[in-house]
Each structure stands twice: as structure tokens, then as C-alpha cells.
Amino acid sequence: MTLKGNVWKFGADVDTDAIIPARYLNTSDPAELAKHCMEDADPEFPNKMQPGDIIVAGKNFGCGSSREHAPIAIKAAGVSCVIAKSYARIFYRNAFNIGLPIFECSEAAEAIEEGDEVAVDAAQGIVKNITKNETYQATPVPEFMQQIIDAGGLIDYVAKRLQGQNKE
Amino acid sequence: MMGMTITEKILAAHAGIDRVEPGQLINVKVDLVLGNDITAPVAIHEFDRIGVDTVWDRERVVLVPDHFVPNKDIMSAEQAKQLREFAHKHQLTNYYEVGRMGVEHCLLPEQGLVGPGDLVIGADSHTCTYGGLGAFSTGVGSTDLAAAMALGETWLKVPESIKFVYNGNLPRWVGGKDLILYTIGQIGVDGALYMAMEFTGPAIEGLGIDGRMTMANMAIEAGAKNGIVPPDEITRNYVENRAKRPYTFYQSDPDARYAQVIEIDVSKLEPQIAFPHLPENTRPVSEAADVTIDQVVIGSCTNGRLSDLQLAAEVLKGHRVSDNLRLLVIPGTQDIYLQALREGLVEQFINAGAAVSTPTCGPCLGGHMGILAKGERALATTNRNFVGRMGHPESEVYLCNPAVAAASAVLGRIAAPWEVE
């Protein structure tokens, strides 16, 4: 699978309150959350981004709250993937669990500029900057996380496991 | 063979193996799982997709509506109702209704639902609080909660540990909040990313259980997976008449392996203030002069416990809240509220001109009960000062301990407790 889009760039330590402020957490409807995605980091983001666009950010993306609404908002807004130098650990797990592709790549996070067109080979973790004609390699996904992705997310992974137990 | 840290020992015990190594992926049995009125609705939705009849253990799935309760609007009421209905359907023994609930991380230790040696996951990032009791606890998202509600298990990567050694005697007005703010100021908001923070040393041994929970609570603010304090007699005194299940005291081996050991001399430490908009932007209170404030909040899972209220009341004694400012005091649980009533603290707060609220997370996350207008500035004993955390994106939050909060409420600006003595 190739994820392709134009880049919106953010800084370091983007927290989950910036990704989806708590004032909107009286719902978990993805479409509602998407309307406010990244609002406190950039109020215009929900209006100006196009489906398929890519978020590129610095270190510790998604720090703060455990709210799964954060990756849900990003995914529902139509962002195809996030590339960052590093991720806060709860956000990292949540993104895999709900099926938002994320990539850890310092080189890409530094070299890519806002507006660059980028294509990511999701399986290989290869980030291609079409605008600059550069290629970067993301940190490989742990094998166990890959199993969750292959199963279609954590819930399907668990459901399959429980089905297996019932047959025994 | 190298020794193990307390975190590694708890993880190994719950994985049913003799030892674990940092970086190892393990499947662990959990002792308790937790959700609240923001995270549990998503978890319940996911749980229903798994296709199991009921939860793994109805006594160990805890639901606490605390973020937007008492319901702040119709949509929040719908979310709280989902918890209530799920708890009823699955006959959960630990669902806490308004009037009996508290801020979850004040409530669970108080009710004896968590104890030393436990492994707890909760869909709230401050679940790491229970490390103050010598438990391994960590925050997860709603989908991880849903899976654990069905299985009673979860997967974890064994973290590396950083050992913090706090030497010297704590100066007056300096407590757990200041130690953790100072530490985050030193290592940064991702200084312990994915790691365990082990808090040790003479200053920790002298710290009460409330202060230890405050420290573990904010481990997440350094990016940590968990914070933990080795359990001792202070821990035993706290848990022995509360614990609803057997507990185990684990200790790190003398030859345990640490990614880093950081020694901190606390003897000259001042109360700390975290300036906007990250908890790592810390300064001693004496370097925070001339910051006028509109609102002070004393409460939250970080500093809403009885000793926090006692400290604030001590500073407020004989003073009134500044005319230009609102002081909100939010006891963490009903038991804390009652005890504060009995001790005359609530009367003192009200006489000083403060608003005292039923337990809620409310203002800490900009939910309700104390939202900031554009340009307003708050000083709070809470845990995060991100952009827009307590209201308008152009408002500001400063973080501090309860004594500093009380002194500042009197003087209308960020102030040290000794300024009102």
C-alpha cells in the first residue's frame, strides 16, 4: 500500500489536547472529531487539509492524554499517515489499534517541508519525498505490532484469538 | 545473571515467567482495568465488537465517570449513561455513581482496589499514579482497555528503568509535586519516553503516600510508561486496612540494571512552577514574580488528596482570596471531602472566599467547572499546561503545589507560601 499526499508540518511535543481538545470529547463520533482535528495547533487545519494529506512532526508526537479520540480524529479527517521523529507511547499503541498508519523517521521529519509531496510504502516503511527527490527509511515496526495490523487492528486480533480458544 | 528492578519483577510475575529483560514483549495478566466517562464509551463500543458474552471478571473492571460529571451537557450525559448501562448489564461491582465517585486515581487507592505489586491498566494516562503504592500501572487507550476487559490480559514491552535518587531533607513547602516538576524540568517531557521512572532515596522514604502518588502520577508528563516508588512501612500503613485483595511488596535487586541513575539533591530546592505550555518549563517560585492570575485550582488526580487540602488550608488561614481572582477547591473523593468537612477545612475555604466543588476532573482538562476565557491565566495543582488545556486556546495554565496555589490565591499573583506567613 502506498500512502501519498501533501505535507502539513508541525513541531515537537504536539500533545493530544492540540490534536483534539477536550471540549469536543463529549462525543466519540469520528466525523465530529474530524471537524476539530489539530484545531488548537492550527485552527485552519480541518478546512485546508485535503484527504490523503500527511502530517509530519517532531519528537514526542501525541504526548499527554490517553484519548483514542486523537488518532481517530486524524484518521477520520482523511490524513493518510503521520511521520514523526518519535511518538508518545500511548498514542503509538492507539494508532496501531485503530488502524492509523504512523511512521517513526527522524530524517524524514527534518528534511520534509510543508507542502512537499510525499509517498510512503507502508509495508517497507520507505518514505519518498517526491518534491525533493529524496528517500528516507522509517524504523521497522515490531513484528508483534505487524501481527495486529495484519489482523485488521487489535479487536479483530483478539476476536480471532478467542475464536481459536473456543474451538480447542 | 543481573538482578531485576521492581518494575521488571512485577511484569515477570504477571507474565508467569522468572525473569524479563528490557525490550522483551510479554503477555501479562492484569489485576484490574479502568475506564472513565470519556474513554469507556469508545471501549464499550469496541468490546461489543469482540463477540464475548461478558467481561473477564466483573469485580475487576472498574468504571468511574469523573471527567464531565456531574453531567456538563446532554452529550456528556449520554456518555455517562453508556457506562451506567454497561455496568448494570454486566453487573460490575465497581461502578461509582455521582455522589459516590471520586477522581479515579484518588478513588481507587483509597477504596483499596489497587495495592503494591499489582499490575493495572487504565484508559486514562494518569493511571500511572498507583506506582506510588509500589504497583505497576500504566495508561492505555480505549481499544487496549476493551481487549483487556474481555481477556484479563494485555501485551507490554518491558521498559528500561531510570533510577532517580533524591538525597537530602525536603525544605518546608517543598513536596512530591515539586520533586516531580523539578525532575521533568531536568529531563524534559520525553526524557523518560517508554521507560520506567523509579523514585528512590532518603527524601522519598520520608515522603507520605499522597506525595508519592503525586510523583508517580506525573511520570507520564516525562513520557514514561510508569513511575514507581519502592513500597515500605508508609505503604503498608496506607494499604493494610484498605486492600481488598492480597498484595506483594517487590523491591529492586541491588544489582538491578538501569539505563541511567540520576541523583538529585533536594535540600536547597524551592517550590517549582511549570510555565506555559509544557510541564518541563519549570522555574523556582522565586523566579516567577509578577505573574498575575485570574483563577487558582486546587484538586485533580495529582493534588486533590487530603494532605493537599490540609496544606492549602494551612496557608490560607487568616487570609482572604484576592478580589481579582477565583479560587476553586475540588476534593478528590467523597471521603476526602467528608474528612475535609470534619477537619473544618471546607469552612475555612468558603470563609476565605473559595468555591468548593463535588469531585470532578472538570477544569483540569478544560471540561467544565472552571473554564478560562481568552487571555486568562490560571495557576493549578493539576498536571498539564498545554495550549488550551483549561479553556480558550489563548489562555494560560501554570502548575504548582497546593501551598503555592493557596498563597497565590491570597496575593493575586504567583507567590511563595512564605510571603503570606
Side-chain angles (χ1 to χ4, degrees):
Chain A
M1 182 175 49
T2 300
L3 308 163
K4 195 168 160 187
N6 294 313
V7 164
W8 298 99
K9 204 152 177 205
F10 294 88
D13 304 312
V14 173
D15 60 78
T16 53
D17 283 88
I19 297 170
I20 181 75
R23 58 186 177 274
Y24 303 119
L25 297 185
N26 55 4
T27 179
S28 53
D29 176 16
E32 276 302 312
L33 297 173
K35 288 181 195 166
H36 305 289
C37 179
M38 307 302 287
E39 186 175 292
D40 281 4
D42 178 357
E44 288 307 307
F45 183 79
N47 302 324
K48 66 188 184 186
M49 62 87 53
Q50 298 295 317
D53 281 356
I54 292 172
I55 289 175
V56 175
K59 71 174 177 73
N60 202 25
F61 186 85
C63 62
S65 153
S66 68
R67 63 188 70 156
E68 207 160 283
H69 310 66
I72 290 172
I74 294 173
K75 189 182 176 190
V79 171
S80 62
C81 68
V82 181
I83 302 166
K85 268 190 186 179
S86 64
Y87 295 89
R89 58 163 286 277
I90 305 177
F91 182 91
Y92 186 83
R93 267 180 98 122
N94 287 348
F96 281 91
N97 286 346
I98 67 132
L100 169 69
I102 61 172
F103 302 92
E104 189 181 84
C105 186
S106 288
E107 206 190 344
E110 275 177 18
I112 295 172
E113 291 180 84
E114 180 141 314
D116 282 359
E117 192 185 14
V118 166
V120 182
D121 176 337
Q124 302 298 320
I126 296 167
V127 180
K128 192 167 183 201
N129 187 336
I130 296 164
T131 307
K132 289 196 163 61
N133 196 25
E134 291 175 351
T135 301
Y136 327 101
Q137 178 66 53
T139 309
V141 173
E143 195 184 318
F144 180 77
M145 304 292 279
Q146 193 60 50
Q147 289 173 18
I148 291 175
I149 298 168
D150 293 345
L154 183 68
I155 293 305
D156 295 301
Y157 177 82
V158 170
K160 273 181 199 156
R161 205 184 121 186
L162 286 170
Q163 279 167 11
Q165 279 176 1
N166 291 341
K167 280 177 199 153
E168 282 165 13
Chain B
M1 200 182 295
M2 295 287 284
M4 286 198 290
T5 66
I6 176 171
T7 293
E8 290 158 8
K9 285 183 181 180
I10 297 173
L11 292 177
H14 287 80
I17 50 183
D18 289 337
R19 59 177 297 116
V20 295
E21 303 281 344
Q24 190 178 345
L25 284 164
I26 54 173
N27 206 51
V28 289
K29 291 201 183 318
V30 296
D31 292 304
L32 201 78
V33 300
L34 165 75
N36 61 47
D37 52 318
I38 290 181
T39 60
V42 179
I44 289 168
H45 182 262
E46 295 301 304
F47 177 86
D48 288 342
R49 289 208 303 125
I50 295 174
V52 286
D53 294 333
T54 192
V55 297
W56 127 86
D57 186 335
R58 68 190 184 91
E59 294 181 4
R60 294 174 185 241
V61 176
V62 182
L63 296 182
V64 185
D66 61 357
H67 279 58
F68 292 161
V69 302
N71 302 328
K72 72 160 180 154
D73 54 25
I74 294 168
M75 285 161 74
S76 305
E78 296 292 342
Q79 296 196 140
K81 192 175 166 201
Q82 282 182 271
L83 269 67
R84 191 174 301 118
E85 288 176 349
F86 185 86
H88 183 73
K89 180 180 173 189
H90 296 279
Q91 298 188 305
L92 304 187
T93 54
N94 292 303
Y95 165 73
Y96 290 88
E97 190 54 88
V98 169
R100 281 82 82 191
M101 53 67 75
V103 174
E104 53 199 294
H105 309 307
C106 297
L107 185 71
L108 268 58
E110 172 194 284
Q111 296 297 314
L113 292 172
V114 294
D118 275 358
L119 194 156
V120 178
I121 64 167
D124 186 275
S125 60
H126 292 108
T127 302
C128 51
T129 307
Y130 317 134
L133 303 177
F136 174 92
S137 57
T138 193
V140 296
S142 297
T143 300
D144 275 317
L145 171 62
M149 280 161 57
L151 296 173
E153 292 176 10
T154 194
W155 69 268
L156 294 169
K157 189 161 113 182
V158 179
E160 289 187 296
S161 292
I162 304 179
K163 183 179 184 175
F164 295 88
V165 186
Y166 298 90
N167 294 310
N169 292 319
L170 279 178
R172 182 153 165 77
W173 308 120
V174 175
K177 183 61 163 290
D178 307 295
L179 294 183
I180 191 64
L181 283 178
Y182 179 79
T183 303
I184 296 166
Q186 294 295 303
I187 67 173
V189 290
D190 63 346
L193 195 62
Y194 296 85
M195 296 169 112
M197 296 173 83
E198 190 173 320
F199 304 117
T200 71
I204 302 299
E205 288 159 23
L207 197 62
I209 206 79
D210 289 1
R212 295 175 182 190
M213 285 198 266
T214 301
M215 293 190 70
N217 172 274
M218 287 190 71
I220 179 70
E221 265 43 86
K225 175 171 265 176
N226 68 309
I228 196 159
V229 177
D232 58 11
E233 280 313 299
I234 289 174
T235 317
R236 192 179 306 281
N237 288 338
Y238 181 82
V239 298
E240 65 183 352
N241 293 317
R242 303 173 190 269
K244 297 220 163 60
R245 284 178 287 107
Y247 50 85
T248 310
F249 278 37
Y250 291 95
Q251 303 292 343
S252 294
D253 292 323
D255 59 344
R257 185 171 35 177
Y258 295 94
Q260 210 179 342
V261 177
I262 297 176
E263 305 239 1
I264 294 171
D265 177 10
V266 306
S267 56
K268 300 241 160 42
L269 207 64
E270 272 189 41
Q272 302 288 304
I273 310 289
F275 277 55
H277 289 286
L278 286 174
E280 70 184 18
N281 296 334
T282 55
R283 294 184 205 174
V285 66
S286 61
E287 291 175 23
D290 302 326
V291 181
T292 56
I293 39 182
D294 303 290
Q295 174 167 296
V296 171
V297 178
I298 298 174
S300 84
C301 60
T302 312
N303 281 119
R305 298 183 182 82
L306 187 65
S307 61
D308 298 315
L309 303 188
Q310 288 167 334
L311 194 58
E314 186 186 338
V315 174
L316 274 177
K317 201 165 192 167
H319 297 289
R320 279 194 59 81
V321 171
S322 164
D323 288 344
N324 304 321
L325 172 152
R326 297 97 62 183
L327 170 60
L328 312 178
V329 181
I330 311 176
T333 67
Q334 292 292 70
D335 278 6
I336 293 167
Y337 200 153
L338 262 181
Q339 191 57 34
L341 269 170
R342 291 191 192 107
E343 293 183 14
L345 308 180
V346 170
E347 195 175 338
Q348 235 183 294
F349 292 135
I350 292 173
N351 282 337
V356 183
S357 157
T358 195
T360 181
C361 305
C364 172
L365 75 160
H368 64 152
M369 295 295 288
I371 304 304
L372 300 175
K374 183 176 177 177
E376 284 194 321
R377 201 179 276 155
L379 178 67
T381 67
T382 57
N383 42 57
R384 291 191 176 129
N385 54 354
F386 300 148
V387 171
R389 176 72 181 178
M390 203 176 276
H392 195 280
E394 290 173 42
S395 61
E396 289 183 343
V397 179
Y398 294 67
L399 306 175
C400 69
N401 78 29
V404 171
S408 305
V410 171
L411 295 175
R413 58 171 171 82
I414 295 182
W418 52 81
E419 293 184 63
V420 298
E421 269 186 308

